[in-house]
Amino acid sequence: MSISGFREKYRNISIKWKIFVYLIGFCTLLLILLWLFQIVFLDSFYKNIKINEVKKTASLIMKNIDNENIGEIIENLSVSNDVCVEVLSENGTVLYSSDVLTDCIIHKMPQFEKMRLVNQTVENGGELLGYYNRGSFFGNVLNRNRFGNRELEPNMNINLQETIIYSKIITDKNGDKIILFLNSVISPVEATVKTLYIQLYYITGFMIIFSIILALL
């Protein structure tokens, strides 16, 4: 069928059926968007939100690093954002610390491991963000303790992401380098996805029935 023939046929369709098609199309598009954002991309959105929270916390600490109440500020930010924080001097001395997570990685990490991350942060331009599986991370640290120079990197498998470690090197008003370590846990979202999955089944059925009835009316 030619384009002109298709247009002529479209003009002959009654207003009722045009409205019906438009409503069904709109509801279909709406349902597709709901499924994409609530199911398919939920995990990605959640991780991006956690990353932004961690970076925002680091940015606020950096802005207030010379404030005389920086210890209290770090504590408040740590509690409100559910983020562990440790601030080190260039030689590895702990300046400020806030531990609000169970089994926080940065507070249980050996000193040589922290300095290794500091070196990686320097090599990465002064900022480093990593996803780690808590169990595999501590397991690899244990292996390095046992076998000396054997280098085992933390497991970076996307499917095992459970925690975020963010490190950033900043400079205070005296020109001294300071290292920020932040750790935030990525909570499993499988249960939430299952709940939304069931809810969307009901919403899909309701929207289809509702759009058909509304279009016919």
Side-chain angles (χ1 to χ4, degrees):
M1 181 183 294
S2 64
I3 295 177
S4 58
F6 178 79
R7 288 177 178 174
E8 184 64 28
K9 188 174 181 179
Y10 177 77
R11 293 193 191 99
N12 294 330
I13 299 176
S14 66
I15 296 296
K16 178 183 73 173
W17 290 110
K18 287 181 181 179
I19 294 174
F20 179 82
V21 171
Y22 290 153
L23 281 173
I24 292 295
F26 173 76
C27 289
T28 301
L29 179 61
L30 184 62
L31 289 171
I32 290 173
L33 290 175
L34 280 173
W35 279 91
L36 286 176
F37 284 100
Q38 294 295 319
I39 301 296
V40 179
F41 299 128
L42 179 64
D43 191 56
S44 298
F45 277 120
Y46 171 67
K47 287 174 182 174
N48 285 331
I49 289 172
K50 295 297 289 186
I51 290 172
N52 288 334
E53 285 180 353
V54 170
K55 288 187 175 182
K56 183 179 179 180
T57 302
S59 178
L60 290 172
I61 293 173
M62 182 173 60
K63 290 178 180 178
N64 293 279
I65 196 64
D66 295 316
N67 192 307
E68 60 181 9
N69 298 317
I70 184 60
E72 183 179 347
I73 292 173
I74 288 175
E75 186 69 29
N76 291 335
L77 288 172
S78 179
V79 172
S80 61
N81 294 323
D82 202 26
V83 176
C84 271
V85 179
E86 192 166 77
V87 182
L88 306 179
S89 65
E90 192 172 4
N91 60 10
T93 303
V94 177
L95 302 176
Y96 306 101
S97 178
S98 179
D99 186 1
V100 297
L101 299 176
T102 304
D103 294 328
C104 173
I105 287 182
I106 59 176
H107 285 91
K108 293 183 179 295
M109 189 185 298
Q111 186 66 20
F112 79 91
E113 191 71 25
K114 290 180 184 177
M115 298 313 295
R116 190 178 73 89
L117 280 180
V118 170
N119 292 333
Q120 288 182 347
T121 305
V122 172
E123 293 172 359
N124 200 54
E127 185 178 30
L128 185 66
L129 176 70
Y131 297 102
Y132 303 93
N133 172 263
R134 184 185 292 117
S136 63
F137 186 93
F138 284 122
N140 289 334
V141 170
L142 180 61
N143 285 334
R144 279 196 290 272
N145 284 333
R146 286 179 180 174
F147 303 114
N149 295 327
R150 182 180 177 186
E151 288 295 326
L152 297 176
E153 293 297 326
N155 194 324
M156 300 297 286
N157 190 322
I158 279 294
N159 297 321
L160 295 176
Q161 292 177 3
E162 292 181 353
T163 188
I164 299 172
I165 295 181
Y166 178 73
S167 55
K168 187 174 181 66
I169 297 176
I170 63 175
T171 305
D172 64 11
K173 62 181 180 181
N174 298 320
D176 297 325
K177 287 185 178 180
I178 296 175
I179 300 95
L180 303 182
F181 278 119
L182 292 92
N183 180 209
S184 182
V185 173
I186 301 176
S187 302
V189 295
E190 286 80 5
T192 303
V193 170
K194 288 180 181 179
T195 302
L196 291 173
Y197 196 81
I198 295 172
Q199 288 180 342
L200 284 175
Y201 264 124
Y202 287 105
I203 293 173
T204 300
F206 172 78
M207 289 292 290
I208 291 174
I209 295 172
F210 177 75
S211 61
I212 292 174
I213 294 174
L214 184 63
L216 291 174
L217 289 177

